[in-house]
């Protein structure tokens, strides 16, 4: 892609905090994967997952243990209504109380309970689809945003296209535990650098080597803090997370997808002194074509990996195939 | 459980079609698993899945191929509003058209799309949770229905408890293809018997032996018919499906869960001449403690198994952990 | 407005059934009210209602009788999912069954029931707001459609602006009863002409004289047919309704608003032999600035007016002020 | 009703703050209207409205001015999720931005915008229906709560029954302005007594005499405070409101309905030192059969009445006829 010899810096201190447009643009150009999988591509970096990745991942299943990486989906969630992001509202259309009282009018003693839900697709543990973010009106693979996502949904790269894609080797990079061994939790506002990711992998050992097609899970420890202290500003407030300077790492590792235990994946406040919002998303989704997971629950997995010393596992995290969705609620499972 | 020597008949011809209450009751008593996993159990037959099942299932992953077993989740679905079961309504709160036009007020060229959904939890591919069906006001494990599912949801056996449970060996019993080799589709109203299940497994060969802890997928072919002819009365109308007489088979095989490619799992119309509704559910869910899947898409899997001659696979189908839900939308994946 | 001397024909036989664009455009230009109430106007023809209209309307309240002109809002409605127009889904978050059983955890014997709804704003009896329809990308008063209604709603002419506007004199034109005295019902596909409207008013007598600021209710009788025969294709199928040729009548009468007992206000199929859709809407809403009501229940009112021989009444039909909505569910009341 | 000679005290100082059950029960018995309008009644005190009330109310329309008494319905509302009471989520299924860009596929230049909403029926300006509150498992008119409101809704006294009822003379009792002439706002926790209501009416003069069948609007001024200071704990927190001791006044005045500008109608915290919740509701709704309005916007009306010195008006506030609803969002209008 970029023919320029100079790569964007991977040191947060080098960021020009007054010019997000330039900092983003430099990385968007350097790490753009447009056309890499053809003009019609709808999967982006999920294309890095090859059958062989899954066969290898299957071979590391040793305990037969399943760990759910989902947070709960309920009304007691972290959402505070920003841009109509609410918590799920789950209601019953039939209940056991009704059945027991005999109000359901069913024959032979049959009773039932049934339920409905109304929720933003990104209210809890989720994947961001490729149609979730645009860069100057352009979507993944160089398409015009308005050709991709209308009021009818994402007509091109809807999350349903990934329904059979997101199963691969998972690798936990427990940055919170590595950098803060006592608390296991990075402080809000901490920007995780490429060097932090590399150091964590190195410290964790051989099972943490990140390879092409992997799904990387970055634990900051912020979710652990909310379990102890309440949600607070988990949704949209200050948080540890990836620095904009990790864009190159996300690109060159050729990972298939990445997820964190935070609301917004990247460090918040973002790394600028002028108005900015989720600059790494702007590079990663429409330019790199990277599928990003947010609000994952990595606590039990963190404990298990620390105990075993093994940080890779078989990961199955297919999205719910809501036609045209730009995100999906998920229950990812790590199988150890 | 039952001390009586006489087992309920497994021949549909023996059903007293005028007395669903007795036919259900006889099987409920004979196959009741209450207390089998303790008083506090919330998983039922999912307890049959042991870590070893998953390790064994991992060992049969050979191709690294993932097949999604989900139907679509969208407004063009089969639901017709019965008991407020509608199709999903997916709407956008932000779109690419907006982003491109510059109406979003975001800095540095960032644009976004976001979406919400309103849907019954059992509108498309799904698991029925243990709180979904009651027998004479009693829920799984002998609890009073009104102690389990109120307007606040299933406070005891909510689907979230199964979040890390439903990963195991899957076995496809392609009854449609076995009994109707030319069309591959059973006709509506065809009642699948225990003998049919056994004959299908036998014909399919060694990979189809059903063992404890397996998740069995029964393909009738009805969904293939809807793909060709439109939904028609798929939701609630006539359909091939399991006979009430399979209750004993469901119990003695000690399977963890079962799913079909139909709306209602059991044969419809049900096997009675008087008003009846889903009698096998009434035995299977509250009495056997069996988790039931419905509206699965088994078409690609059917093709793959027929081509390879191998009918078992690694199956990952965790529910979305909606707190207190009595069912869950899912995207089950078979990994071959 | 138009300086041309030739007015569009008011005879349906003159419509060029091969050229909807020209037929619409001619009327859009002839009857356009843009700028009539200033550049910032958000009410359109609702501006015709003056305080004096309401005082006069109050003076014709003689019986103190209230007639609701709303259809029901429930799951058994006419919608069939077109463009995600579903029927309302009303669910309970607390019930009397729960309260009676004591599951609610409230003190001193208090119990409660509560409920939620999910519905299209135009699923049942409704007003179309001024942001509901556009003509070649242009909204009411000549604004660009994309400047008015984004994914955040109608930011300019949202229905909330009419919250205190829609109370005036109402006049029922019972065209079904006038033209079909035996059945009281126009057949589907019948195009009501300006002459029909005038003839009905004349036959009904002095109380039916339509004056500036009135809200006119046109009864076709189709809703009566659905009460007898079921919904059928009420939502979007063939129906009696206003001919495109009534556009001039709608304009020159200076009525404030108009409503019918049908799904779509205008005759369906529309009056063209080539693909077309709701051409009169395209003239009336963005060009005339007319607020249109649909799916009203005019049956009891029709009986009352026929019995008394008086066809005018005090009409209160304020929209629900949903911020940014392009339509509103309503319960209009006629006070006789 | 009660045969005892002693009436419950109307002085808040007499309340036994340790015994809500007794204080409620005494008033429930004293003021119970069960059977007053027959066994099948579904309207309660709305029966007090007679045609003559409306004719008289029409006669006081002098200005032809309409004042909306609704707050907004949008995501920026006061709800905080208590018992799944959220703010409305309004989303677009088609927009002007789409129309302008040409993505809608409509003929002859037609474009459209459409929208859906998901909301609790009592999220903003509302009526509480008769099925909203129960007293020891008993609903209005002495029916068992479980016979009235199941998961299918209020099958007996659903709000749709009041669709043509709630139009009458309205009287504003501006207690906030009367008791706090400088600020016009009662402080949170202030319990409005029967004496306060009488004194306000007396001070306001002849147009404030409350008569049978009236709809009384009590302004506390708390909503004005939220307009200035933000929602804070408007939904469920401390508030001025009616004292439990007003129950007798509500009963003997034979008013049809009553509404306030607060979330919860009664003073909060409630008047007990032990756990209690909305005790006046428990007397008023299931026992008196009184329809209660909450979250009304009485600001403009307050200004108008103070300016004119006239405090009565024609009030039209019909509920949206959602079948089986226990409450309804409304846009009440006062016509002066």
């Amino acid at each position: 892609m970029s023919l320029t010899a100079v790569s964007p810096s991977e040191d947060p201190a080098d960021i020009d905090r007054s010019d997000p447009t330039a900092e983003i643009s430099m990385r968007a150009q350097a790490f753009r994967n447009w056309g890499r999988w053809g003009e019609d591509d709808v999967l982006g970096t999920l294309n890095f997952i090859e059958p062989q990745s899954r066969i290898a991942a299957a071979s590391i299943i040793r305990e037969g243990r399943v760990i759910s990486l989902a947070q709960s989906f309920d009304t007691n969630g972290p959402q505070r209504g920003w841009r109509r992001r609410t918590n799920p509202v789950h209601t019953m259309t039939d209940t056991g109380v009704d059945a027991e009282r005999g109000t359901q009018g069913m024959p032979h003693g049959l009773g039932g309970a049934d339920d409905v839900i109304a929720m933003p697709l990104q209210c809890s543990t989720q994947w961001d689809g490729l149609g979730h973010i645009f860069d100057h009106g352009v979507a993944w693979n160089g398409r015009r945003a308005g050709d991709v996502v209308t009021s009818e949904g994402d007509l091109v790269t809807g999350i349903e296209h990934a329904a059979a894609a997101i199963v691969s080797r998972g690798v936990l990079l427990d940055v919170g535990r590595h950098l803060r061994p006592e608390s296991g939790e990075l402080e809000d506002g901490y920007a995780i650098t490429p060097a932090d990711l590399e150091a964590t992998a190195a410290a964790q050992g051989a099972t943490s080597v990140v390879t092409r097609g992997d799904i990387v899970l970055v634990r900051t420890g912020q979710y652990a803090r909310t379990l102890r202290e309440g949600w607070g500003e988990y949704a949209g407030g200050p948080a540890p997370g990836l620095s904009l300077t990790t864009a190159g790492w996300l690109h060159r590792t050729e990972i298939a997808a990445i997820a964190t235990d935070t609301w917004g994946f990247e460090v918040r406040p973002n790394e600028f002194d002028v108005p900015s919002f989720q600059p790494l998303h702007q590079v990663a989704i429409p330019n790199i074509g990277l599928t990003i997971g947010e609000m994952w629950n990595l606590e039990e997995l963190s404990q298990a990996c620390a105990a075993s010393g093994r940080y890779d596992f078989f990961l199955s995290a297919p999205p719910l195939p809501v036609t045209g969705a730009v995100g999906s609620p998920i229950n990812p499972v790590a199988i150890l």
Side-chain angles (χ1 to χ4, degrees), chain A:
Chain A
M1 333 283 132
S2 173
L3 297 177
T4 63
V6 183
S7 288
S9 169
E10 302 205 349
D11 180 348
D14 293 334
I15 291 178
D16 177 351
R17 298 179 64 93
S18 69
D19 194 351
T21 302
E23 292 288 338
I24 293 165
S25 177
M26 156 194 339
R27 289 171 176 86
Q29 289 178 47
F31 308 129
R32 195 166 278 162
N33 281 325
W34 296 354
R36 185 165 180 167
W37 297 282
E39 289 304 299
D40 296 333
D41 181 64
V42 296
L43 292 177
T45 56
L46 295 176
N47 284 293
F48 286 130
I49 306 177
E50 293 185 10
Q52 194 55 44
S53 313
R54 294 173 185 136
I55 296 170
S59 75
I60 56 175
I61 296 179
R62 300 183 193 176
E63 302 175 41
R65 175 179 175 188
V66 177
I67 297 176
S68 167
L69 308 179
Q71 297 183 14
S72 296
F73 286 76
D74 61 40
T75 195
N76 300 314
Q79 303 296 342
R80 296 178 293 161
W82 176 79
R83 291 189 92 77
R84 288 170 283 175
R85 288 255 190 104
T86 63
N87 294 306
V89 176
H90 169 233
T91 56
M92 307 302 299
T93 51
D94 279 303
T95 70
V97 184
D98 292 298
E100 189 183 298
R101 198 182 191 281
T103 72
Q104 297 182 328
M106 290 290 186
H108 52 70
L110 180 79
D114 230 25
D115 40 14
V116 304
I117 200 163
M119 62 176 172
L121 288 170
Q122 302 190 19
C123 60
S124 182
T125 308
Q126 92 211 35
W127 284 122
D128 285 353
L130 293 180
H132 177 49
I133 296 290
F134 313 108
D135 181 9
H136 289 87
V138 179
W140 162 241
N141 225 22
R143 301 178 181 102
R144 294 178 66 196
D147 287 341
V148 177
V149 189
T150 73
S151 293
E152 296 191 56
D154 182 337
L155 308 172
V156 177
T157 52
I159 202 94
E160 70 275 18
H161 295 288
I166 316 182
V167 176
S168 190
R169 175 180 177 247
V171 177
L172 174 69
L173 296 183
D174 197 342
V175 183
R177 191 179 291 260
H178 173 64
L179 291 184
R180 302 290 180 269
E182 292 195 19
S183 69
E185 299 172 16
L186 296 176
E187 55 278 12
D188 293 337
Y190 183 88
I192 297 170
T193 65
D196 289 336
L197 296 172
E198 294 292 352
T200 301
Q204 289 181 178
T207 58
S208 300
V209 176
V210 173
T211 62
R212 184 178 185 172
D214 287 344
I215 299 170
V216 173
L217 312 184
V218 176
R219 181 181 171 280
T220 69
Q222 190 201 23
Y223 178 62
R225 193 151 61 241
T226 70
L227 291 175
R228 195 174 60 244
E229 301 177 359
W231 288 117
E233 296 187 89
Y234 182 76
L242 270 66
S243 166
L244 176 59
T245 62
T246 61
W249 188 92
L250 297 175
H251 179 255
R252 71 174 170 269
T253 50
E254 299 186 334
I255 59 175
I258 188 167
T260 66
D261 57 349
T262 63
W263 173 84
F265 175 61
E266 27 188 321
V267 63
R268 294 187 56 79
N270 300 129
E271 298 160 291
F272 294 96
D273 299 326
V274 295
S276 66
F277 192 73
Q278 302 295 75
L280 184 54
H281 275 70
Q282 192 171 336
V283 177
I285 296 179
N287 289 291
I288 301 181
L290 185 65
T291 292
I292 294 175
E294 289 161 335
M295 301 183 63
W296 290 39
N297 173 0
L298 302 176
E299 293 314 295
E300 183 181 351
L301 182 66
S302 169
Q303 300 280 354
C305 291
S308 71
R310 294 173 48 245
Y311 287 84
D312 62 348
F313 39 84
F314 188 89
L315 180 64
S316 180
L320 202 63
V322 176
T323 306
V326 298
S328 174
I330 44 172
N331 176 7
V333 286
I335 302 151
L336 279 55

